[in-house]
């Protein structure tokens, strides 16, 4: 079974690309949603977060997202502490998930921070989904209610499209859904061929 990492900045459309792969029967591990799950369900992760950020990190057994976001937002040191707790748990959870999908031809790991977190070491190939900056800003504003300035601020904190393109094995440019669908179908054929050769 081959493992493919899919990454891209906010508004690039990486989740849309992953949904298109899923529609063709490919299993997708979404690092963001699984990290959120582990922060609630994993005793080890919960202990680590409480030790690092205090009992206020949880309210009635649920993660106090607003409190935690306030603690780590804009603070590299605190964010690194949180990541040091959560990322190893996500890595191990992904490995276990892969064991459950051993019969699949290939699977996807979706992660906005694939390279930042070092998750590329968990996959065999990587795809970067990129899009023109103005289009990314418009997409995020339309779906989130954030201002263009707020979206630009978030984009500025992420790896640039140029760097993602340089580091990834494949790049998909997401200008329109039809264009992206065509790219996904082409990638699906490539990955099936590639997996058969391994």
């Amino acid at each position: 079974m081959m493992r493919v990492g899919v990454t891209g900045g906010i508004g690039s459309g990486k989740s849309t690309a992953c949904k298109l792969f899923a529609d063709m029967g490919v299993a997708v591990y979404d690092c963001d949603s699984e990290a959120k799950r582990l922060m609630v369900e994993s005793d080890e992760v919960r202990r680590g977060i409480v030790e690092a950020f205090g009992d206020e990190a949880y309210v009635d057994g649920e993660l106090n997202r607003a409190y935690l976001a306030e603690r780590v937002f804009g603070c590299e040191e605190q964010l690194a502490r949180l990541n040091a707790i959560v990322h190893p748990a996500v890595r191990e959870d992904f490995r276990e998930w892969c064991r459950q999908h051993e019969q699949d031809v290939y699977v996807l790991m979706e992660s906005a921070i694939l390279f930042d977190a070092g998750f590329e070491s968990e996959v065999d190939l990587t795809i970067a989904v990129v899009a023109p900056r103005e289009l990314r800003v418009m997409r995020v504003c339309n779906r989130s209610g954030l201002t263009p300035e707020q979206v630009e601020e978030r984009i500025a904190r992420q790896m640039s499209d140029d760097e993602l393109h340089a580091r990834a094995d494949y790049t998909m440019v997401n200008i329109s859904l039809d264009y992206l669908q065509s790219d996904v179908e082409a990638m699906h054929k490539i990955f099936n061929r590639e997996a058969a050769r391994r």
Side-chain angles (χ1 to χ4, degrees):
M1 181 259 289
M2 192 171 74
R3 298 159 302 169
V4 180
V6 182
T7 192
I10 187 170
S12 64
K14 76 178 181 319
S15 295
T16 303
C18 285
K19 185 183 181 308
L20 293 172
F21 277 107
D23 288 344
M24 292 189 292
V26 181
V28 180
Y29 182 94
D30 179 355
C31 285
D32 187 46
S33 63
E34 298 301 338
K36 288 172 182 171
R37 177 182 61 80
L38 289 166
M39 290 163 85
V40 175
E41 294 181 7
S42 166
D43 291 338
E44 188 178 349
V45 172
R46 287 172 71 104
R47 270 196 307 273
I49 289 174
V50 169
E51 284 173 13
F53 300 99
D55 292 331
E56 302 95 324
Y58 290 87
V59 177
D60 296 328
E62 291 298 315
L63 186 68
N64 187 346
R65 298 190 189 286
Y67 168 81
L68 204 55
E70 192 178 300
R71 294 292 301 273
V72 304
F73 187 79
C75 180
E76 291 295 325
E77 187 181 332
Q78 293 287 65
L79 181 59
R81 287 180 78 190
L82 180 62
N83 288 342
I85 298 163
V86 178
H87 288 175
V90 170
R91 189 183 292 270
E92 188 49 50
D93 192 65
F94 174 68
R95 291 173 183 172
E96 176 56 37
W97 180 86
C98 284
R99 285 190 279 273
Q100 296 166 17
H101 289 272
E102 280 178 351
Q103 302 309 310
D104 294 20
V105 176
Y106 75 96
V107 297
L108 299 184
M109 172 196 260
E110 177 186 349
S111 175
I113 54 171
L114 186 80
F115 296 115
D116 310 73
F119 289 153
E120 77 270 24
S121 64
E122 298 296 319
V123 298
D124 304 299
L125 294 169
T126 54
I127 305 172
V129 182
V130 302
R133 196 178 183 107
E134 313 76 48
L135 190 53
R136 292 172 63 189
V137 171
M138 185 181 72
R139 283 174 182 159
V140 179
C141 287
N142 288 344
R143 76 182 186 215
S144 69
L146 293 172
T147 66
E149 292 74 24
Q150 288 171 316
V151 179
E152 286 282 4
E153 186 184 340
R154 293 187 182 198
I155 289 175
R157 288 201 305 268
Q158 296 183 325
M159 200 173 283
S160 72
D161 278 0
D162 285 345
E163 188 170 356
L164 289 174
H165 172 66
R167 294 185 66 167
D169 296 300
Y170 297 94
T171 300
M172 292 195 289
V173 181
N174 178 22
I175 296 171
S176 71
L177 189 59
D178 287 348
Y179 196 86
L180 185 63
Q181 176 80 55
S182 174
D183 270 1
V184 166
E185 288 171 1
M187 288 286 106
H188 185 58
K189 289 176 184 171
I190 289 169
F191 296 148
N192 275 299
R193 283 200 304 270
E194 183 69 27
R197 284 203 295 264
R198 287 172 181 255

